[in-house]
Amino acid sequence: MRLGRIVGRVVATVRAKDLDGEKLLLLQPLDARREPAGATLVACDVAQSGLGDLVLWVGGREAALALPRSFVPVDATVVGHVEQAPDVSGREEMATAPRPRNAPASEPRAKRSAEQDAKRSLPRAPPKRKR
Amino acid sequence: MYLARVLGAVVTPVQHPFFDGRTLLLVRRLDLDGAERGPDRVAVDRVGAGEGDLVLVLEEGNSARQIVDDGKAPLRSVVVGFVDEVEVDGRIALANEPRVTPRPERSR
């Protein structure tokens, strides 16, 4: 199992019959530093992932086993939404905004609290994005 | 199987039901000189390992499913051993630092 980041969605209206109904996401594999590790690939999803999420994914035969239906011909599946993971310096940080269990990714995220905003303005945090 | 260093725990509140109640560890593969060159993997813990530990990682799906006794489990990487020391050419090449606190009880 590996870490990755959701970098896009894939729409494919004509597809193999066994792939019908599966959400397809564009996935960038990452190493522990959150740096890209390998080429982007297309993955199915069982963890309600959305764009920008840090995720846990499996490849190979395990990708098909992770899906509730049998047998879906896929070679990568997102199996977890990562809320916390260590980076190489051992410092733990919030990877993505926490989402309540089973909440669909399409729902708008809750507005950040003042506390979270303060956290984001720490020196090591990335610059604020304009909305 | 290979030797790896545990970088820490991975928390996934939304996940495949198989991973419910299981500890996930971010591990980095080691060379015999102790260099952490990777690659990095997320593995299910079976020995109660923690951050900084030298461990044995299994990375093969069918063996992993046999270990968790679930033929349909979507996993490939499992921490299957806590390594005390590794001897190469009669010398200790790698060893786990002694723990200050005792290791937690074996997880499932």
Side-chain angles (χ1 to χ4, degrees), chain B residues 34-104:
Chain B
E36 300 180 4
R37 297 212 175 85
D40 306 322
R41 291 288 182 268
V42 180
V44 168
D45 180 34
R46 295 285 293 182
V47 296
E51 187 182 330
D53 284 346
L54 178 61
V55 292
L56 187 61
V57 175
L58 170 76
E59 196 170 300
E60 201 281 309
N62 287 319
S63 316
R65 280 183 281 283
Q66 194 174 328
I67 283 175
V68 298
D69 198 18
D70 180 348
K72 293 203 164 179
L75 89 162
R76 179 180 301 179
S77 318
V78 186
V79 174
V80 291
F82 182 85
V83 178
D84 295 312
E85 58 187 35
V86 180
E87 193 184 305
V88 180
D89 291 336
R91 286 184 304 136
I92 305 297
L94 289 169
N96 242 321
E97 314 241 328
R99 279 171 179 258
V100 181
T101 51
R103 212 136 52 86

Side-chain angles (χ1 to χ4, degrees), chain A residues 12-97:
Chain A
T13 45
V14 180
R15 50 169 84 183
K17 199 178 162 220
D18 293 330
L19 273 176
D20 273 351
E22 295 297 338
K23 182 166 82 169
L24 298 177
L25 297 167
L26 202 57
L27 174 71
Q28 170 65 62
L30 301 177
D31 64 15
R33 271 188 236 100
R34 320 273 167 85
E35 300 286 339
T40 53
L41 43 93
V42 178
C44 282
D45 176 42
V46 294
Q48 296 98 43
S49 305
L51 202 62
D53 285 352
L54 184 68
V55 295
L56 175 70
W57 64 278
V58 289
R61 179 170 153 73
E62 289 73 42
L65 290 172
L67 294 169
R69 275 193 306 137
S70 169
F71 175 84
V72 183
V74 295
D75 61 0
T77 298
V78 174
V79 294
H81 173 90
V82 176
E83 186 177 282
Q84 240 179 342
D87 73 4
V88 278
S89 64
R91 180 176 58 95
E92 285 207 346
E93 62 176 39
M94 202 59 100
T96 47

